[in-house]
Amino acid sequence: PIEQPKATATSEEQRDLVLEVDEETRVRRFIELYHQAQNMPDLPGLQGLLSLYADQVNYFGVGVVAKDFILQDKQAYYARWPMVHFDLAGAPSLRLLKDGQTVEVRFEIVFMVRNAQKWISGNAVNTLRLRPQGQGYVIVDEKQTVLSRNKGSL
């Protein structure tokens, strides 16, 4: 279910903001595509992942960056961790923000990344903000909070 924003003093902000059922389905499908692409560190996977981002994204606390920055960051990540596995841990929570268009999606993941020398596994909460574009959505904001992390050597 979609969380509703809290009502405030102005009539504009007191509007009921809800996602239609088909929109909620589209957002959930978007998250599935995002996770499929995250698990494919090859070029087609990276291209698919990049297609899910807006031209400008508030990216992991770095600030607003262009897709070129995101591509370079993802390439460096997958070079460092050539074997990756991300799973959704439960259903995403969806919340329509006060602007009536931006959807905030929060979901927990279980992750395992590995290279020839070491591995890291754990849990994290990802928060994406999505805005409509064309027939779908694009990511305009991405954050992650790691909840637990385990490390080891091979």
Side-chain angles (χ1 to χ4, degrees):
I2 306 291
E3 292 180 27
Q4 303 266 336
K6 303 261 189 275
T8 59
T10 68
S11 62
E12 180 181 333
E13 291 175 328
Q14 287 179 358
R15 294 179 294 147
D16 285 328
L17 300 177
V18 295
L19 282 178
E20 299 295 327
V21 172
D22 61 333
E23 290 299 311
E24 183 174 342
T25 300
R26 285 172 46 193
V27 169
R28 291 185 187 283
R29 179 67 185 130
F30 181 94
I31 298 304
E32 290 172 15
L33 290 172
Y34 171 83
H35 274 284
Q36 288 172 5
Q38 288 277 85
N39 282 306
M40 297 178 6
D42 57 4
L43 185 58
L46 278 174
Q47 290 172 336
L49 186 58
L50 277 182
S51 73
L52 302 177
Y53 287 88
D55 291 336
Q56 299 287 312
V57 177
N58 188 10
Y59 188 70
F60 288 106
V62 173
V64 177
V65 301
K67 280 187 179 182
D68 288 344
F69 180 92
I70 295 169
L71 175 61
Q72 291 172 5
D73 184 61
K74 298 290 185 188
Q75 286 174 323
Y77 183 85
Y78 291 128
R80 186 171 56 249
W81 303 109
M83 292 177 264
V84 299
H85 188 78
F86 303 98
D87 276 326
L88 279 174
S93 68
L94 312 176
R95 183 170 65 103
L96 188 62
L97 301 185
K98 291 177 187 174
D99 67 6
Q101 292 189 349
T102 306
V103 179
E104 184 176 86
V105 184
R106 291 176 49 92
F107 49 93
E108 187 172 337
I109 62 165
V110 177
F111 63 89
M112 168 67 124
V113 297
R114 191 176 123 174
N115 61 29
Q117 291 83 34
K118 56 188 171 182
W119 58 268
I120 299 176
S121 67
N123 295 63
V125 173
N126 287 3
T127 303
L128 302 178
R129 288 191 174 180
L130 311 176
R131 287 215 182 106
Q133 180 174 298
Q135 297 298 312
Y137 288 90
V138 291
I139 299 167
V140 296
D141 191 295
E142 182 171 20
K143 293 178 179 55
Q144 183 179 74
T145 303
V146 175
L147 303 175
S148 68
R149 180 178 297 165
N150 302 302
K151 299 178 182 184
S153 297
L154 298 174

